[in-house]
């Protein structure tokens, strides 16, 4: 059934018009859903009963249901496991920092990118999520936070999947989240992270979106990058960076370059020098993500000193850098740890 959260107001209005309903009903319905947060058509008491039952046959207000919730030992991260109508599973992570409530959403079940260091792509892509299935993840977690009088403050497309390989649904989910009559969530608080899909970046540039962009760089050279990221062979570094530059110029947003730091792979001083040279003339922030362990992979996280030494080289070159001190490792909710789970499998199986 159609997830209601996939709809833009004009589509709801068109459906109502087709049924001969008054146009003001659209406002009433959107108010129930997005302001009152009602998830039951029957509870919308100012709508005629016939319209309520027609709505119930047409669209669902529960496109995903929570299967489980795990909290990390430090209480800063919560992982939500959701079941989709076809039995597939998807995860979202709530990251609580002192001044932020960030939701990390999945855009696909599985991932086509198959990066060497990431659990999400191990079994490839299973299917795209619809816009409504993406919006519902944020909606559900926002609902949870509201019980403690809090709201989702930031959104990152950094869960499972490659958002630019599910472009239409991701674009639509952002339009729905951003729409003043719907979720009214600022684009400035949304970050889309991509493995580097040039046509997707170009489409983003051509759209009127102004979300923050994060590029999963992970290596300062084409030679090393294509060893870690199969997509790099299709979308070479030079062209990729030019596509990102075009987006930055058009959208006026700073770009973050993510760099998963792996011991003995991409963490040498030479790599840091090369990275700095690559980004020197760009308005760039490098976000270092120390590698998070993935079962079955023999990669290692560098020591704290090695991480700091790498950062010091960047800083010396004047490259702004941050380090995502990992949250949620103990519940496998950290970057790259969201793995595919089939219905019926054990929670931690991957
Ligand atoms: N497909 C998108 C979103 C991926 S998740 C992308 O590639 O950007 C967000 C970030 O976590 C990406 O930069 C990804 O490369 C990184 N990541 C994946 N596996 C990781 C791991 N095991 N440890 C640390 N970071 C990882």
């Amino acid at each position: 059934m159609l997830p209601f959260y996939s709809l833009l107001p004009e589509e709801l209005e068109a459906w109502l018009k087709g049924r001969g309903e008054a146009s003001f009903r659209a406002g009433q319905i959107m108010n129930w859903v997005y302001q009152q947060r009602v998830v039951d058509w029957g509870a919308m008491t100012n709508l005629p009963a016939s319209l309520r039952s027609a709505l119930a046959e047409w669209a669902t207000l529960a496109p995903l249901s929570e299967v489980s919730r795990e909290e990390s030992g430090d209480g800063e991260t919560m992982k939500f496991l959701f079941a989709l109508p076809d039995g597939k599973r998807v995860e979202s992570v709530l990251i609580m920092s002192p001044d932020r409530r960030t939701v990390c959403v999945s855009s696909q079940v599985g991932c086509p990118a198959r990066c060497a260091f990431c659990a999400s792509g191990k079994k490839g892509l299973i299917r795209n999520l619809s816009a409504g299935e993406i919006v519902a993840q944020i909606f559900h977690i926002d609902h949870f936070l509201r019980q403690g009088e809090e709201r989702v403050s930031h959104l990152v497309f950094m869960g499972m999947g490659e958002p630019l390989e599910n472009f239409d649904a991701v674009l639509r989910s952002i339009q729905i989240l951003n729409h003043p009559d719907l979720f009214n969530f600022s684009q400035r608080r949304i970050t889309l992270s991509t493995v580097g899909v040039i046509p997707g970046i170009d489409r983003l540039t051509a759209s009127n979106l102004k979300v923050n962009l994060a590029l999963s760089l992970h290596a300062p050279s084409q030679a090393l990058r294509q060893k870690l990221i199969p997509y790099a062979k299709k979308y070479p570094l030079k062209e990729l960076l030019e596509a990102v530059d075009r987006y930055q110029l058009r959208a006026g947003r700073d770009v973050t370059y993510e760099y998963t730091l792996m011991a003995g792979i991409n963490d040498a001083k030479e790599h840091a020098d090369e990275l700095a040279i690559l980004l020197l003339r760009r308005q760039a922030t490098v976000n270092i993500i120390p590698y998070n362990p993935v079962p079955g992979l023999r990669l290692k996280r560098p020591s704290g000193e090695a991480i700091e030494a790498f950062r010091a080289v960047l800083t010396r070159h004047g490259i702004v850098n941050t380090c995502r001190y990992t949250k949620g490792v103990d519940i496998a909710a950290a970057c790259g740890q969201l793995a595919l789970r089939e219905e019926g499998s054990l929670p931690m199986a991957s």
Side-chain angles (χ1 to χ4, degrees), residues 25-46:
R25 297 290 183 204
Q28 287 180 317
I29 296 167
M30 289 183 306
N31 182 276
W32 278 116
V33 175
Y34 286 97
Q35 268 70 51
Q36 319 265 357
R37 300 301 177 96
V38 163
V39 289
D40 171 11
W41 295 117
M44 301 184 183
T45 46
N46 58 359

Side-chain angles (χ1 to χ4, degrees), residues 117-118 158 161-162 193-195 216 218 258 260 291-292 294 335-336:
F117 43 83
C118 182
M158 294 187 188
E162 168 47 45
S193 176
T194 178
V195 72
S216 290
H218 307 319
E258 292 159 291
T260 293
Y291 167 72
N292 296 309
V294 172
C335 286

Side-chain angles (χ1 to χ4, degrees), residues 14-85:
W15 180 82
L16 288 165
K17 197 169 172 207
R19 294 183 44 83
E21 298 282 354
S23 58
F24 70 88
R25 297 290 183 204
Q28 287 180 317
I29 296 167
M30 289 183 306
N31 182 276
W32 278 116
V33 175
Y34 286 97
Q35 268 70 51
Q36 319 265 357
R37 300 301 177 96
V38 163
V39 289
D40 171 11
W41 295 117
M44 301 184 183
T45 46
N46 58 359
L47 305 181
S50 59
L51 177 56
R52 282 186 258 161
S53 55
L55 281 163
E57 274 171 38
W58 176 53
T60 175
L61 290 170
L64 36 86
S65 57
E66 187 180 315
V67 176
S68 64
R69 198 186 288 176
E70 284 176 89
E71 195 174 340
S72 61
D74 57 12
E76 289 180 354
T77 308
M78 237 184 217
K79 184 166 71 170
F80 292 78
L81 176 65
F82 295 112
L84 302 163

Side-chain angles (χ1 to χ4, degrees), residues 178-195:
N178 185 228
H179 198 291
D181 295 338
L182 305 179
F183 211 83
N184 200 18
F185 197 88
S186 166
Q187 290 192 46
R188 287 182 180 277
R189 291 162 177 261
I190 299 178
T191 300
L192 192 153
S193 176
T194 178
V195 72

